[in-house]
Amino acid sequence: MESPASRGFRKMAAGCRACADGHRGGHFPEAEFACEKHYATNGNISKIHFLLKRLHRNNSRVHHFSDYVKDNEDTREDEEAAIKKCLWLVTQNFTGKVNGGDRCVCEINLPDNTFPAKRVAALEDETMRLTNRVEDEMQKIQEQDIRLDNYVEKLINLTKKFEWLEKLRPEGLIEINFEELKKEIKEMETVIMKIRGKVDGSNAHVEGLYIEVKNISKTVGQLESFDKNNVIRAQREMENLKKRLADCEKNLKLKATPMVPLGSCQHRGLSSVSKPNLLQLNWKGVGFKAGGWGKDAAWNTTKKSMYWVGALNPDGRILESIRVYNSLNDIQMYKNSIDLPLSVLIKNKWNHTLAGQGAGSIVYNNNLYYNCYNSRDVCRVSLSSGVYQRKPLPNAAFNSQYSYAGVGYQDIDFASDEKGLWVIYATDESAGNIVVGRFNVATMMVDKTWTTTQMKTQVTNAFMMCGVLYTTRFVSKKTEEIFYMFDTKTGKGGQISFMMEKMADKVQSLSYNANERKLYMYNDGYLCTMMLWCCLELWDSPLHTVSIIPK
């Protein structure tokens, strides 16, 4: 009868075939069984030695083992369990051989079960430290990104400023504080250099910002030089001119002949025109060359401090909106403005039913008067309520049939003076000659008309003063001539000659304001004003000699 030990011992064949075969063949009945460790930890090898020795003693009494087990069944079960555990350990981690003919030597390779607690703790500490460093660096990067975004926004704003400056003519560069610009750019350059050093040139975004700052700094230097060479000289000339005009006015007041009071028409007409005073570029920019501007032109209006600007679309035809300012400071600083839309967007398409056409608009008693789009109608919109009205202007030409020379779609031109509101236009019946109509604001109709002998297409623009029509024509890029006048009181016209300076090539609009005796000129997008003087006697002109030739 084979004992349980013998059966268990045969299970060692997978690991120590020599020892198992030796026992099964009876070659080593009295042999000493030895296990020599290769790796052992935590007392495992001692336990294996003890169990193997017990195995050897039980094997020597194999023929009596069954009786032993019967007599001591509890002991047998304990031993068998221990032997099975030993055999399982052995078969998992050892190789065996027969050594010296009488010894079964098993080499057991047991893993090192010592847990490296210190190394793991050190690794956790290092991991925690690295994690903290990564979080700190990420926080710094986020902060830098925020700062970079802020400087990107500043750069965009500065770029817009410089684009505007570069497009201006020399006379448009007025009161530009280059020192403040250079200081602001220097601060940004310093910050960008610090960030650039931290990222070590590896961030393309930072490099791009650095290059932009450098380029803008260079542009500021060029513009400053340009300003010193051109604008400052122009400003000095303008100041000298203002001083001369002030001295002239002072000297005139000392003369026996008094100045003509504002609002009075007790004079013999225009005697002189001042040089233009440039306010600024229109709020839409240099691309909007056509348009009109001014103040409320009604005599003794309650809106004397209000300004309006109506820039046409770049095509020089459609007036989609006007912008209103409450004061000179507001218009100079482009602030506190109110937009009055005339075109509306309906289903992703612009509707120009209420839009204007051409630069013949005017504000009179807080109402905007203009030529309605694509028609001979005249429109009126209240700046306060937005109430809209329109009526046709009988027989008036439109859509550039008889517009001013070099200016499109100004067939119908509104004008104002001390005597009221006027409309300047032409008809087929007049053969294209200028027709002056006295406009009734109550009925929105023309009460009376005068037909002149001057072709409308041969004049560049026109204005009214004290019931007298004055027309201009092109002389040079810097000069216009007031060359023709027509007096509605007498019904007679004639040739005159007053040279009028301008800032740019084309004069798109001229609007006279009786409250200041000023002429408001929209000149290729620039907003300019000129003072007008009148003489009490026909040949007594303080600054110019007037030559009127009947026609």
Coordinates of all heavy atoms in Angstrom, one line a residue, residues 282-285 288-292 308-313 318-323 522:
N282 N -13.0 112.0 -40.3 CA -14.3 111.5 -39.9 C -14.2 110.2 -39.1 O -13.2 109.5 -39.2 CB -15.2 111.4 -41.1 CG -14.9 110.1 -41.9 OD1 -15.4 109.0 -41.6 ND2 -14.0 110.2 -42.9
W283 N -15.2 109.9 -38.3 CA -15.1 108.8 -37.4 C -15.0 107.4 -38.0 O -14.6 106.4 -37.4 CB -16.3 108.8 -36.4 CG -17.6 108.7 -37.1 CD1 -18.3 109.6 -37.7 CD2 -18.4 107.5 -37.2 NE1 -19.5 109.1 -38.2 CE2 -19.6 107.8 -37.9 CE3 -18.2 106.1 -36.8 CZ2 -20.6 106.9 -38.2 CZ3 -19.2 105.2 -37.1 CH2 -20.3 105.6 -37.8
K284 N -15.4 107.3 -39.3 CA -15.3 106.0 -40.0 C -13.9 105.8 -40.6 O -13.6 104.6 -40.9 CB -16.4 105.9 -41.1 CG -17.8 105.7 -40.5 CD -18.7 105.4 -41.7 CE -20.1 105.0 -41.1 NZ -21.1 104.6 -42.2
G285 N -13.1 106.8 -40.9 CA -11.8 106.6 -41.4 C -11.6 107.1 -42.8 O -12.5 107.7 -43.4
F288 N -13.7 106.6 -46.2 CA -15.0 107.2 -46.3 C -14.8 108.7 -46.7 O -15.0 109.6 -45.9 CB -15.9 107.1 -45.1 CG -16.2 105.6 -44.7 CD1 -15.3 104.8 -44.1 CD2 -17.4 105.1 -45.1 CE1 -15.5 103.5 -43.8 CE2 -17.7 103.8 -44.8 CZ -16.7 103.0 -44.2
K289 N -14.5 108.9 -48.0 CA -14.1 110.2 -48.5 C -15.3 111.2 -48.7 O -15.1 112.4 -48.7 CB -13.3 110.1 -49.7 CG -11.9 109.4 -49.5 CD -11.2 109.4 -50.8 CE -9.8 108.8 -50.6 NZ -9.0 109.6 -49.7
A290 N -16.5 110.6 -49.0 CA -17.6 111.4 -49.2 C -18.5 111.5 -48.0 O -18.7 110.6 -47.3 CB -18.4 110.9 -50.4
G291 N -19.2 112.7 -47.9 CA -20.1 112.9 -46.7 C -20.3 114.3 -46.4 O -19.9 115.2 -47.2
G292 N -20.9 114.6 -45.3 CA -21.1 116.0 -44.8 C -21.1 116.0 -43.3 O -21.1 115.0 -42.6
W308 N -22.9 117.0 -36.0 CA -23.3 115.8 -36.7 C -22.3 115.5 -37.8 O -21.7 116.4 -38.4 CB -24.7 115.9 -37.2 CG -24.8 116.9 -38.4 CD1 -25.0 118.2 -38.2 CD2 -24.7 116.6 -39.8 NE1 -25.1 118.8 -39.5 CE2 -24.9 117.8 -40.4 CE3 -24.5 115.5 -40.5 CZ2 -24.8 117.9 -41.8 CZ3 -24.5 115.5 -41.9 CH2 -24.6 116.8 -42.5
V309 N -22.1 114.2 -38.1 CA -21.2 113.7 -39.1 C -22.0 112.6 -39.9 O -22.4 111.7 -39.3 CB -19.9 113.2 -38.6 CG1 -19.0 112.7 -39.8 CG2 -19.2 114.2 -37.8
G310 N -22.0 112.8 -41.2 CA -22.7 111.8 -42.0 C -21.7 111.3 -43.1 O -21.6 112.0 -44.2
A311 N -21.0 110.2 -42.9 CA -20.1 109.7 -43.9 C -20.8 108.7 -44.8 O -21.5 107.8 -44.3 CB -18.9 109.0 -43.2
L312 N -20.7 108.9 -46.1 CA -21.3 108.0 -47.1 C -20.5 106.7 -47.1 O -19.3 106.7 -46.7 CB -21.4 108.6 -48.4 CG -22.1 110.0 -48.6 CD1 -22.2 110.4 -50.0 CD2 -23.6 109.9 -48.0
N313 N -21.1 105.7 -47.7 CA -20.4 104.4 -47.9 C -19.2 104.7 -48.9 O -19.2 105.7 -49.6 CB -21.3 103.4 -48.5 CG -22.2 102.7 -47.5 OD1 -22.2 103.1 -46.3 ND2 -23.1 101.8 -47.9
I318 N -24.5 106.0 -50.8 CA -25.5 105.7 -49.8 C -25.1 106.3 -48.4 O -24.0 106.1 -47.9 CB -25.7 104.2 -49.6 CG1 -26.1 103.6 -51.0 CG2 -26.8 103.9 -48.6 CD1 -26.3 102.1 -50.9
L319 N -26.1 107.0 -47.8 CA -25.9 107.5 -46.4 C -26.8 106.5 -45.5 O -28.0 106.6 -45.5 CB -26.5 108.9 -46.3 CG -26.4 109.5 -44.9 CD1 -25.0 109.7 -44.4 CD2 -27.1 110.9 -44.9
E320 N -26.1 105.6 -44.8 CA -26.7 104.6 -44.0 C -27.0 105.1 -42.6 O -27.9 104.6 -41.9 CB -25.9 103.3 -43.9 CG -25.8 102.6 -45.3 CD -25.1 101.3 -45.1 OE1 -24.3 101.1 -44.1 OE2 -25.3 100.4 -46.0
S321 N -26.3 106.1 -42.1 CA -26.5 106.6 -40.8 C -25.7 107.9 -40.6 O -24.9 108.2 -41.4 CB -26.0 105.5 -39.7 OG -24.6 105.4 -39.8
I322 N -26.1 108.6 -39.5 CA -25.3 109.8 -39.1 C -25.0 109.6 -37.6 O -25.6 108.9 -36.9 CB -26.0 111.1 -39.4 CG1 -27.2 111.3 -38.4 CG2 -26.4 111.2 -40.8 CD1 -27.7 112.7 -38.4
R323 N -23.9 110.3 -37.2 CA -23.5 110.2 -35.8 C -23.6 111.6 -35.3 O -23.1 112.6 -35.9 CB -22.1 109.7 -35.7 CG -21.5 109.7 -34.3 CD -20.3 108.8 -34.2 NE -20.7 107.3 -34.2 CZ -19.9 106.3 -34.0 NH1 -18.6 106.6 -33.6 NH2 -20.3 105.1 -34.1
Y522 N -16.5 119.3 -45.8 CA -16.2 117.8 -45.8 C -15.2 117.6 -47.0 O -15.7 117.6 -48.1 CB -17.4 117.0 -45.8 CG -17.2 115.5 -45.5 CD1 -17.5 115.0 -44.2 CD2 -16.6 114.6 -46.4 CE1 -17.4 113.7 -43.9 CE2 -16.4 113.3 -46.1 CZ -16.8 112.8 -44.8 OH -16.6 111.5 -44.5

